[in-house]
Amino acid sequence: SATGDDDDSATGDDDDSAPVAVTFDMVSPIYQAKCSPCHAGGGSGGHNLGHSDVNTAYTSSQLSSYSASPGTKGAASLVRIQNGSMPQGRGCSGNPTTDASNPDCLSQEQQDMIQAWLNGGQLGPAVN
């Protein structure tokens, strides 16, 4: 920008660049950290969203889900996180403020990253 300030996100006046698209490899570490071991090879819930192989995890994220629209396991994951039913048995409410002292629960930043991935069309991994 003309001011020399590289971060114009607060002011909105910048170089008209588009926001960075959130790809699955950007959200995969969240799923690995918060959804393992249940969804990292054991296939709990019929998927392995937290698998360490990003391509395997992405494939799982795109499986059909019965519990959310637009109908993928990836979309259902945020619904389940925010309603407090996942991670299961970890004492999470789904509210990042309430859950802030519980390291098993997702932070606001993590939930926002998953939401951005969903809003952006659930793009696959940019890095294979």
Side-chain angles (χ1 to χ4, degrees), residues 20-29 32 51-59 117 123-128:
V20 174
V22 177
T23 55
F24 188 77
D25 50 293
M26 296 164 73
V27 296
S28 185
Q32 287 177 38
H51 199 281
S52 60
D53 178 81
V54 70
N55 293 305
T56 298
Y58 177 71
T59 298
W117 173 65
L123 299 174
V127 179
N128 292 319

Side-chain angles (χ1 to χ4, degrees), residues 8-123:
D8 293 323
S9 58
T11 60
D13 63 347
D14 67 347
D15 56 11
D16 298 321
S17 62
V20 174
V22 177
T23 55
F24 188 77
D25 50 293
M26 296 164 73
V27 296
S28 185
I30 299 168
Y31 288 124
Q32 287 177 38
K34 303 297 183 177
C35 306
S36 297
C38 302
H39 299 294
S44 293
H47 67 88
N48 290 310
L49 193 60
H51 199 281
S52 60
D53 178 81
V54 70
N55 293 305
T56 298
Y58 177 71
T59 298
S60 278
S61 80
Q62 298 306 293
L63 293 172
S64 181
S65 175
Y66 58 86
S67 64
S69 179
T72 66
K73 296 289 186 184
S77 73
L78 190 59
V79 171
R80 300 287 306 272
I81 289 162
Q82 291 179 336
N83 74 17
S85 63
M86 288 292 156
Q88 192 171 38
R90 304 283 176 83
C92 302
S93 71
N95 179 325
T97 303
T98 303
D99 295 338
S101 65
N102 185 338
D104 291 333
C105 305
L106 281 80
S107 68
Q108 185 67 59
E109 182 181 10
Q110 290 168 324
Q111 288 189 26
D112 290 348
M113 179 68 82
I114 293 170
Q115 186 66 63
W117 173 65
L118 295 171
N119 290 351
Q122 301 183 47
L123 299 174

